[in-house]
Structure formats: structure tokens, C-alpha cells
Amino acid sequence: MDRSKPKNASEGIAPMGITTINDIADSNQPESRYECPVCLNWLRDPVITTCGHKFCNSCITSWLQNSGHCPIDNINLSMKVDIFPDNYTKREIQQQRMSCPFADKGCTLKVTPLDLDAHIAACEYNQPETSNQIDIKIPCSFQAVGCKETFKSQEEMNAHLHNETQSHMSYILNAYSEMKINNDMNASIDPKEQEAMILWEPDKNEGQNPAPPITNMGTLIRALYERVVVLEQRNREQDIVIANISKQLSAFAVAKNKQNQDMLLRYCMGNYVWRIDNFQARLDAMLKDHYKMLYSPGFYTSPNGYRFCVRLNISPQNPLCFALHVHLMKTEYDDCLEWPFNGRISFAMINQYEPELSQRDTMMSNSSLIAFRKPTTEICVRGFGYTEYAVVSNVVKNGFVKEDCLIVRVHIKCV
Amino acid sequence: MANIAAKRIKREFKEVMKSEEVAGGAIKLELVDNSWTELQGTIAGPPDTPYEGGTFLLEIKVPETYPFNPPKIRFITKIWHPNVSSVTGAICLDILKDQWAAALTLRTVLLSIQALLSAAEPNDPQDAVVAKQYRDNLFLFNLTARHWTNVYAGGPSNITDFNDMVQRLLDMGVEEHQARVALSTYDWELERATEQLFS
């Protein structure tokens, strides 16, 4: 007489199903005064009945097609005379703003409750997290012969199949020879065949089996061929590894070089040597177009001090002369420095054949000039220096250019 | 499933889960699958009725046109009640038919069915045999309903006389439920039940 059915049922009922509720819907639960009793959602185009109940326009319309009564109190209702738009409630709902449920993923949008569902469906942050949540992996179709790769998508697998043809071939060969061995063993043939499979360990093989029977030749060749394929594959893989490593190395070298230069500029203590390579070509370009100017990289008077660059160009007043100026440049710590800049600025254009003939000049900064105020642009628009520093033809003729390179040394010292 | 129906059922499901009736164990609701078109409800037999202590399972089918049409609900657990078919479990309740209103929810419907167990409507019967017994012999009706509750819904009252009579018919080779229906129908008169079964 005792039936276990009701007992089972009550056990099954417990909390099941609660996790399947869409959490997103949770956040969009309207307050009861804004809720349509028919769809239990936010009132959309709300209407009010003569009996004082609010519904979505479409909900009450659908309901009254089959019934003549209010869904709540059963009072007779006619679509024509008992239903009025409730624009007050409509406005109240439209004034509400709700955050997108994907706010934690970065969506900052706030929309009215009525637009929320449409937004959720279209939200760019509403991406199924296939990689994290559902970890469905497709095994390689050569799994049966030993390929252990798995893939997230068919495309990935196709690429793998394309690239790994050789290793798959060797897997198949392996599988085939194993099958063959098993068959042969079943036919109770000498197990030496198996030893032939490990021929590439010659000491073992030769020691035990100096003269393999001729019937094993086929297996032997297969085994060797398979080995060759495996080695070729490994070789190829290592070529790729080597190529990758050398690529990385050269990238490192470039980065290191750049870092070195940056360090030099930062730690030169205002003592900067500007080597202008390809001088002739640059000079020709400047002579052709007087607005062309050469700027040096920015260098620092101390590691976190003022930053200057040097400008060399054809003097706008006298096209036979070079102008040479320094410009202050912005740094991230400008606020820590004292303004305007105060200090001594020395130029030296080095005569590379007779260094004692180098042209040296020293100036003191002038705190009333805009050029020494805190720069407001990356490079201060006003420079400080000589508009007629040197005659162009003298620079070229008199030994300042050697191996197509001009050297200007600038020393800036704060006082 | 129509969007509005599915959406509403999901919201209702949550409403039921949060309700105090669920917390108090009076009603329960669970999913049968993930389609939201079929659910299983459970109601506890109300106190001071023959159904007290029993747990009654209900099949709930949600139509495409929900909530403009009522859900289709029937008892899975066999029950002896004038407004419930003792054969099919079909329920005669106005709100599941012409008095359905879109503002009703699965929670209110389950509570209405529970209320129906407390207050039968013998004048609007679903099961004429049960209703007749209810009208003519309320004492026997209560005993029978209690017995069914004990056997099918895990109720506490074990009515030995009835069990014995069912056992007698079982010994004659009659299937158990068939025997119980026959005995219940013929006011637990073994002879008449036997006669009906073997005629």
C-alpha cells in the first residue's frame, strides 16, 4: 500500500529550476504601479479603465477581444467607452532611467525601461562568452590515430588540418604499422618485426638481431619512412621556432637601441652633441625651401630638468647664413621646475679637421623672453639663439663638415 | 512559444518562488523542461480537510495565447473530490474556464485550487459519482477522500478497514486502483463492488 510516488515528487520539487531564470530579466522588474497585470511587464502605452486599472494598450485590447470584463475585477468593460490613455503614467515611466545589465562589462548606457529589452538585444557588450562559459572543444578529426589537439571552432580545426598534414600522415602511418604488427602477431609471426620498428636505436637492434629475416623488410622500410617523416616534421617546427626567436631578437635590439638613445638624451646633463648626418642633402633641401628646419631630439639639463632641442635652419633674414636656436620643450615634470628658465647656453660648432678652430659662443638666458617661460606647446614656439650664426659657405668650406656630418655641441647649464 | 507568454511565465515563476506560500510549503512550482510551456505545480492539502497532510501534484500546460487564455491544469495525483475527475484529474473550476482573467497568475490559480479542496462545489461537479457521495453521505465521502489522500498523496490517515477491503479484491486478482475506484464508487460495499468488477 505504501506508495513512494508523492515522496519522490516532493524531493524533486525543492529548489530546482531557480537557476534557469534569466538574471537579466531580474533587473528590469517594474514597480507594481508601473506593471501591466496582463504581461507583468512595464506598462507600454498605458491605458486606464473606468474601474481604475492600468494596462498596456495592446494587452487590454487583446484581452477585450474575447472578454467583456476587466481582467482584475470582472467589471464590464467596453473598448470604446471604458478605456482611456494614461499619459501621466506614460510620462512617469519614460522619465525612469535604467542602467544596462551589462554595465559591469562596460556599457554606460541608461535607457527608459521600455527601451531596455531592445537595448539588451542590441548591446555590443551582450556577447555570449563562449570561450569562458561554454568550453565546447572540437577534437581533431585525426583524434582516433593520436592527434590530441582540440579546437574552439571548425575554422580553427580546418587550419590545423591544413597545416599539420605531415604529422597527421605520420599518425596514420603509426596507427597502420601498429595494426599491421598486431595482425602479424595474430598470425603468430616472429615478434622480431616489432624490434625492427625501433631500428633507430641500432645498438639494441643489431645486438639482438644481427640478421633480420627478409620478410621483415617491408615493415622495416615503413618504420624508417615513418621516422624520416617525423624528423622532417620536427625539423620544420624547429625552423619556425628559430625564425620566431630571431624576429624577437631583432625587435629587442631595436628597442634596446632606442632605450639607449633616450637614456643619453635624459642623462646628458645639458651637454648635448648633435651629429647631423647626410648634411649635404639636408642643406640642399633647406636652401631649396627656406622654411625647412632641422630640429635635434629633446635633451635634458638634468634627468628631470628642463628639456631643450636645437634648431638649425637658413636664416630668414639673410639666406647666406645659418640660424641656430634652442627651444624649450614640454616634459611631464614641468610643474616641478622653476620658471622662467635661468641659465647659460653655449654653442660650439666643431671644426672636425682643426678642433681649435671650432666656433664657440655663450649666452645668458633672458628671463623676460617668452622663449624661457614654461612651454605651452610640445616645443615652445619662440627660440633663443642666433639668427645669423654662421655663413653657410664657410661652414661647408672651412672643415666643419666631415664625412657629410656636421657636429654642433650645445651645453645648457642652469644658474 | 509566444514571446508574451514565455516572458510572463518567467516572471510568474519568480513571483511564485519568492511568495510566502512557497516559503510556507503550501504551494510549489517547478519546470518540467526549459520551454516554459509545461510546469508542475504542487499544493499541500489544506488543514481541517480530508486532504490534510497530502501532497498533490498538478500538470500545468501554458497555451501559446497565455495570459489571454487560461493555463490547462489537471491533477496528476489521484484525488477523491467532487470537482476533480477521479479518472483523469480534470478540474472543474470557473477561473480555469469562462471566469479566467488575464490578471490571474499561476500563484493565484494554485491557491484557488487549494481553496477548492477546502470548499467543494457539489452542485457544479466534475465527477458525478464523487459529488453524489458528497451530497448523500458526507461522512463516507470524508473517509474515502482521506483514504485516497493516504494512498496517493502521502497523507497520514491509514484507514485499515478500507485497506483490508482493497486487499480482498487484490487477492481476487483485481488491479489495485481499479479495486479502490470500485469500492469508493459503491460506498465501500464489497459485494456491490465485486459484482460491478466481475460483471
Side-chain angles (χ1 to χ4, degrees):
Chain A
M1 280 285 189
D2 63 324
R3 294 287 182 95
S4 55
K5 199 175 166 194
K7 192 164 173 276
N8 279 345
S10 62
E11 276 170 359
I13 275 164
M16 166 223 164
I18 206 137
T19 51
T20 60
I21 297 171
N22 194 345
D23 288 336
I24 289 166
D26 250 350
S27 57
N28 194 10
Q29 188 75 56
E31 281 175 56
S32 58
R33 62 189 163 133
Y34 298 137
E35 184 185 80
C36 169
V38 174
C39 64
L40 302 184
N41 221 321
W42 288 85
L43 284 164
R44 196 174 282 273
D45 296 326
V47 294
I48 191 158
T49 62
T50 40
C51 53
H53 297 117
K54 295 174 191 172
F55 303 96
C56 300
N57 189 17
S58 61
C59 288
I60 194 67
T61 309
S62 302
W63 172 250
L64 287 179
Q65 274 167 6
N66 296 318
S67 162
H69 310 281
C70 171
I72 294 178
D73 57 13
N74 249 347
I75 279 178
N76 286 347
L77 285 183
S78 150
M79 197 63 214
K80 283 187 189 130
V81 295
D82 296 315
I83 310 290
F84 307 96
D86 182 356
N87 287 327
Y88 175 78
T89 305
K90 184 175 182 174
R91 241 187 331 267
E92 296 244 302
I93 291 173
Q94 273 170 350
Q95 277 163 4
Q96 308 250 336
R97 284 292 177 277
M98 304 190 75
S99 305
C100 173
F102 298 106
D104 54 343
K105 290 190 191 165
C107 185
T108 54
L109 214 67
K110 291 198 168 199
V111 293
T112 68
L114 297 176
D115 295 332
L116 191 61
D117 283 347
H119 166 70
I120 287 170
C123 180
E124 57 181 308
Y125 298 94
N126 185 4
Q127 299 293 337
E129 296 174 11
T130 41
S131 53
N132 299 340
Q133 290 178 343
I134 316 154
D135 227 359
I136 302 170
K137 291 204 165 173
I138 312 165
C140 175
S141 37
F142 286 84
Q143 189 191 28
V145 289
C147 184
K148 290 185 177 64
E149 295 289 330
T150 55
F151 307 94
K152 285 179 194 140
S153 68
Q154 190 64 40
E155 288 87 320
E156 237 180 282
M157 170 143 100
N158 289 344
H160 166 80
L161 290 180
H162 185 76
N163 294 334
E164 302 294 320
T165 318
Q166 262 184 311
S167 61
H168 285 154
M169 287 288 285
S170 67
Y171 280 132
I172 292 174
L173 257 170
N174 258 327
Y176 175 74
S177 19
E178 262 173 48
M179 219 163 72
K180 183 85 171 128
I181 292 164
N182 287 343
N183 280 348
D184 290 353
M185 290 214 329
N186 288 348
S188 76
I189 283 179
D190 197 323
K192 275 169 190 157
E193 257 185 337
Q194 250 185 307
E195 289 175 41
M197 298 295 293
I198 45 166
L199 184 87
W200 48 89
E201 288 158 346
D203 48 339
K204 212 175 173 184
N205 205 15
E206 277 170 357
Q208 292 176 354
N209 189 18
I214 208 109
T215 50
N216 293 345
M217 274 310 266
T219 321
L220 192 68
I221 288 167
R222 263 200 313 275
L224 285 172
Y225 175 70
E226 170 196 329
R227 184 65 187 162
V228 167
V229 169
V230 169
L231 287 175
E232 271 178 353
Q233 171 68 18
R234 195 170 297 164
N235 207 2
R236 224 165 60 96
E237 281 167 9
Q238 268 162 9
D239 278 351
I240 293 168
V241 170
I242 288 169
N244 283 343
I245 288 174
S246 33
K247 221 186 276 172
Q248 270 177 12
L249 257 181
S250 53
F252 273 135
V254 168
K256 178 81 183 136
N257 202 2
K258 186 173 182 308
Q259 200 188 13
N260 273 349
Q261 280 174 4
D262 289 349
M263 292 284 274
L264 264 175
L265 293 168
R266 192 171 270 276
Y267 292 97
C268 69
M269 304 303 286
N271 209 342
Y272 178 63
V273 175
W274 187 20
R275 293 178 58 95
I276 309 171
D277 296 321
N278 291 329
F279 184 71
Q280 193 57 50
R282 293 177 201 265
L283 177 63
D284 290 345
M286 285 196 290
L287 287 171
K288 217 167 157 190
D289 175 3
H290 289 186
Y291 290 103
K292 231 181 184 97
M293 301 176 182
L294 296 180
Y295 284 92
S296 76
F299 58 94
Y300 291 76
T301 58
S302 60
N304 282 321
Y306 300 91
R307 188 180 178 206
F308 284 92
C309 68
V310 191
R311 164 166 65 94
L312 180 78
N313 61 305
I314 300 294
S315 167
Q317 281 132 34
N318 180 355
L320 296 176
C321 287
F322 279 120
L324 189 66
H325 292 86
V326 287
H327 286 260
L328 266 166
M329 293 177 80
K330 250 189 189 172
T331 73
E332 62 269 50
Y333 298 120
D334 274 348
D335 290 339
C336 308
L337 299 169
E338 282 174 31
W339 299 100
F341 167 81
N342 250 322
R344 193 171 61 230
I345 299 153
S346 308
F347 290 130
M349 186 163 64
I350 308 299
N351 190 313
Q352 295 179 66
Y353 291 95
E354 291 170 77
E356 60 276 16
L357 295 179
S358 296
Q359 180 176 327
R360 294 173 203 278
D361 301 277
T362 298
M363 303 169 287
M364 289 306 289
S365 65
N366 179 345
S367 53
S368 66
L369 294 177
I370 297 174
F372 294 110
R373 297 203 190 139
K374 193 166 115 180
T376 52
T377 49
E378 180 59 22
I379 298 179
C380 180
V381 287
R382 306 298 286 267
F384 181 72
Y386 299 94
T387 46
E388 294 178 19
Y389 177 69
V391 178
V392 175
S393 54
N394 285 350
V395 169
V396 181
K397 269 194 302 204
N398 295 350
F400 291 94
V401 181
K402 185 181 179 184
E403 290 163 4
D404 205 15
C405 177
L406 178 75
I407 299 176
V408 177
R409 178 170 164 265
V410 182
H411 187 206
I412 299 176
K413 195 169 162 49
C414 302
V415 289
Chain B
M1 189 176 196
N3 194 23
I4 179 165
K7 256 187 175 170
R8 198 181 121 140
I9 288 293
K10 284 178 198 175
R11 287 198 193 270
E12 283 193 39
F13 192 84
K14 272 186 292 172
E15 180 204 38
V16 172
M17 284 308 170
K18 281 189 277 188
S19 68
E20 45 191 274
E21 291 87 10
V22 165
I27 61 170
K28 280 171 189 165
L29 191 62
E30 65 178 316
L31 295 175
V32 172
D33 50 32
N34 278 328
S35 71
W36 299 95
T37 54
E38 192 169 339
L39 298 97
Q40 182 169 289
T42 308
I43 55 177
D48 304 322
T49 68
Y51 311 104
E52 184 172 5
T55 306
F56 298 89
L57 302 188
L58 296 146
E59 175 191 272
I60 303 171
K61 288 190 170 162
V62 182
E64 287 269 341
T65 50
Y66 187 80
F68 303 109
N69 290 103
K72 293 182 171 57
I73 303 184
R74 69 171 192 91
F75 273 90
I76 300 171
T77 307
K78 289 182 171 43
I79 184 169
W80 192 251
H81 187 283
N83 303 109
V84 182
S85 162
S86 60
V87 183
T88 62
I91 305 167
C92 180
L93 183 60
D94 56 358
I95 59 158
L96 292 179
K97 292 167 185 161
D98 54 330
Q99 290 302 301
W100 166 252
L104 292 168
T105 65
L106 293 181
R107 176 178 154 270
T108 54
V109 167
L110 286 178
L111 292 175
S112 299
I113 294 171
Q114 196 176 35
L116 183 68
L117 297 190
S118 309
E121 277 288 348
N123 296 323
D124 183 18
Q126 179 74 38
D127 193 310
V129 175
V130 184
K132 184 172 185 299
Q133 187 181 62
Y134 185 93
R135 282 194 302 261
D136 298 349
N137 192 344
L138 188 59
F139 177 75
L140 198 61
F141 164 82
N142 280 336
L143 272 184
T144 308
R146 205 178 296 276
H147 171 71
W148 279 52
T149 304
N150 169 245
V151 173
Y152 296 117
S157 319
N158 193 343
I159 297 164
T160 325
D161 288 353
F162 288 179
N163 288 341
D164 289 349
M165 273 190 261
V166 171
Q167 189 59 45
R168 294 267 295 273
L169 287 176
L170 280 182
D171 294 342
M172 291 185 225
V174 180
E175 191 270 326
E176 184 188 322
H177 179 63
Q178 210 183 350
R180 184 167 294 112
V181 170
L183 285 164
S184 303
T185 303
Y186 292 101
D187 293 344
W188 298 93
E189 291 173 21
L190 190 57
E191 273 177 31
R192 280 171 64 201
T194 317
E195 195 179 303
Q196 187 265 330
L197 282 168
F198 290 97
S199 63

